């Protein structure tokens, strides 16, 4: 007589494949942090909708977001669904290519009410992602993570939802990186000026170049297995650089600095002229 084996706990699969990774634009993170600063006094966190697209390789590209008012307690969550639909309809009029891809929340990791909110967004779009931004600096910096959810079942019985972290790609230009570096710190003495920002960027560039040199040397010496993707990326990066002699590069760099200094000087003169004109106008009105 064969013995019956117990039912196993396993995640149920959905009709379409889940996102494999997420790519988030810097403006989305800044919008989330700004919404947290402007939140109502009684709110512990803010949530909202993520807009973007699903790329052919399974990556969710998040390009925009908006806050959705909500109230939550230990065992229930109330979302302003009408506001959410109105905001989405407005965004669709401006950019119909940006669709709902998930939702965000502030705070460290997944909280108790996240499952209920995720269930709502699962009815709005298949396989939504959940983006968390730790605006409370729980571990000393603004931790940012992306999750997908799968249903845990025991036989035919649905038990719970399990959040799984997926790779997150934060692609930023140099100016955005400087702002994000300040944003991740819990305290800054002062904002860097243009010269300090350029100096910091050059130091990071030197470090990256040294790492590339070390990787290439290790590949040539056989200490590291070659990666064709990295090789193509290095080749494309080198090919994109203009071929200039050191003298020509120094002249171009110095001319650019002179142009920037001239703009700063003209801006200073303009501010001075405006200030003098305002004072003369005030004095004339008094007389």
């Amino acid at each position: 007589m064969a013995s019956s084996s117990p039912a196993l706990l396993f995640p149920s699969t959905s009709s379409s494949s889940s996102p494999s990774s997420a790519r988030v634009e810097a403006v989305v993170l800044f919008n989330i942090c700004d919404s947290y600063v402007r939140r109502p006094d009684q709110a512990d966190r803010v949530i909202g909708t993520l807009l973007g697209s699903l790329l052919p390789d399974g990556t969710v590209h998040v390009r925009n977001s908006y806050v959705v008012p909500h109230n939550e307690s230990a065992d229930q969550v109330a979302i302003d669904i009408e506001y959410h639909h109105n905001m989405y309809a407005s965004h669709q009029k401006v950019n119909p290519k940006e669709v709902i891809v998930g939702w965000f929340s502030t705070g460290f990791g997944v909280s108790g009410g996240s499952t209920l909110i995720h269930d709502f967004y699962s009815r709005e779009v298949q396989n939504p992602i959940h983006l968390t931004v730790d605006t409370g600096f729980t571990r000393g910096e603004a931790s940012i993570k992306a999750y997908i959810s799968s249903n845990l079942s025991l036989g035919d019985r649905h038990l719970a939802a399990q959040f799984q972290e997926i790779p997150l790609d934060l692609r930023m230009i140099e100016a955005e990186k400087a702002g994000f570096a300040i944003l991740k710190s819990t305290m800054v003495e002062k904002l860097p000026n243009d010269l300090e920002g350029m100096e910091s960027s050059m130091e990071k560039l030197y470090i990256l170049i040294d790492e590339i040199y070390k990787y290439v040397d290790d590949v040539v010496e056989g200490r590291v297995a070659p990666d064709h993707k990295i090789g193509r990326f290095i080749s494309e990066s080198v090919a994109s650089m203009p071929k200039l002699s050191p003298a020509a590069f120094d002249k171009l760099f110095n001319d650019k600095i002179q142009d920037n200094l001239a703009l700063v000087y003209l801006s200073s003169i303009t501010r001075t002229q405006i200030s003098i004109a305002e004072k003369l106008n005030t004095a004339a009105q008094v007389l």
Side-chain angles (χ1 to χ4, degrees):
M1 181 177 178
S3 60
S4 59
S5 59
L8 298 178
L9 187 69
F10 61 93
S12 62
T13 57
S14 58
S15 58
S16 60
S17 59
S18 300
S20 58
S21 62
R23 180 189 305 171
V24 181
E25 299 291 339
V27 65
V28 176
L29 301 179
F30 297 146
N31 286 341
I32 294 173
C33 293
D34 180 68
S35 65
Y36 179 76
V37 173
R38 299 173 185 270
R39 75 191 187 282
D41 294 337
Q42 68 275 11
D44 293 329
R45 67 169 181 168
V46 295
I47 68 169
T49 303
L50 299 175
L51 301 175
S53 60
L54 180 62
L55 302 181
D57 61 353
T59 300
V60 173
H61 187 189
V62 183
R63 294 190 294 267
N64 210 335
S65 65
Y66 59 86
V67 180
V68 177
H70 83 295
N71 291 313
E72 61 180 313
S73 59
D75 56 350
Q76 62 181 358
V77 176
I79 301 175
D80 193 337
I81 299 177
E82 183 179 358
Y83 179 89
H84 159 69
H85 288 158
N86 290 337
M87 285 294 294
Y88 181 55
S90 300
H91 276 272
Q92 283 285 286
K93 293 178 181 179
V94 177
N95 193 346
K97 294 183 179 180
E98 291 184 354
V99 298
I100 298 175
V101 294
W103 65 287
F104 71 82
S105 68
T106 58
F108 183 74
V110 180
S111 65
S114 296
T115 302
L116 299 175
I117 302 174
H118 200 83
D119 287 342
F120 165 73
Y121 279 95
S122 296
R123 296 191 293 270
E124 298 288 298
V125 61
Q126 282 189 330
N127 298 321
I129 67 168
H130 175 31
L131 183 71
T132 61
V133 180
D134 182 18
T135 50
F137 299 90
T138 304
R139 295 184 175 178
E141 63 177 13
S143 174
I144 303 169
K145 295 184 179 181
Y147 300 88
I148 58 173
S149 176
S150 59
N151 294 326
L152 292 179
S153 302
L154 184 60
D156 296 332
R157 180 185 175 189
H158 171 67
L159 295 181
Q162 179 185 29
F163 285 92
Q164 299 175 344
E165 186 176 353
I166 60 175
L168 179 62
D169 181 13
L170 301 176
R171 294 195 174 184
M172 307 177 186
I173 61 176
E174 198 59 41
E176 293 172 337
K177 289 181 180 179
F180 183 68
I182 296 174
L183 181 67
K184 289 182 65 177
S185 303
T186 56
M187 181 182 299
V188 292
E189 295 181 357
K190 67 181 182 68
L191 295 177
N193 55 35
D194 293 340
L195 185 60
E196 292 172 343
M198 184 172 63
E199 181 180 1
S200 176
S201 299
M202 293 302 297
E203 291 176 352
K204 294 178 181 178
L205 180 60
Y206 276 124
I207 294 174
L208 292 176
I209 292 176
D210 289 339
E211 291 179 355
I212 293 174
Y213 269 122
K214 183 178 183 302
Y215 171 78
V216 173
D217 289 340
D218 290 341
V219 171
V220 172
E221 297 295 333
R223 292 189 293 266
V224 175
D227 189 326
H228 299 294
K229 291 183 179 180
I230 297 178
R232 284 193 295 269
F233 181 78
I234 294 175
S235 177
E236 292 173 358
S237 300
V238 173
S240 64
M241 296 296 295
K243 296 182 179 180
L244 296 175
S245 63
F249 177 79
D250 289 341
K251 184 178 185 305
L252 180 64
F253 184 77
N254 291 329
D255 291 344
K256 184 67 175 178
I257 289 181
Q258 293 298 326
D259 292 340
N260 290 336
L261 291 176
L263 288 175
V264 172
Y265 178 69
L266 291 175
S267 300
S268 177
I269 292 178
T270 302
R271 286 196 300 268
T272 303
Q273 292 290 343
I274 293 175
S275 177
I276 293 174
E278 290 178 348
K279 291 182 180 180
L280 291 176
N281 186 33
T282 302
Q285 291 178 356
V286 173
L287 295 176

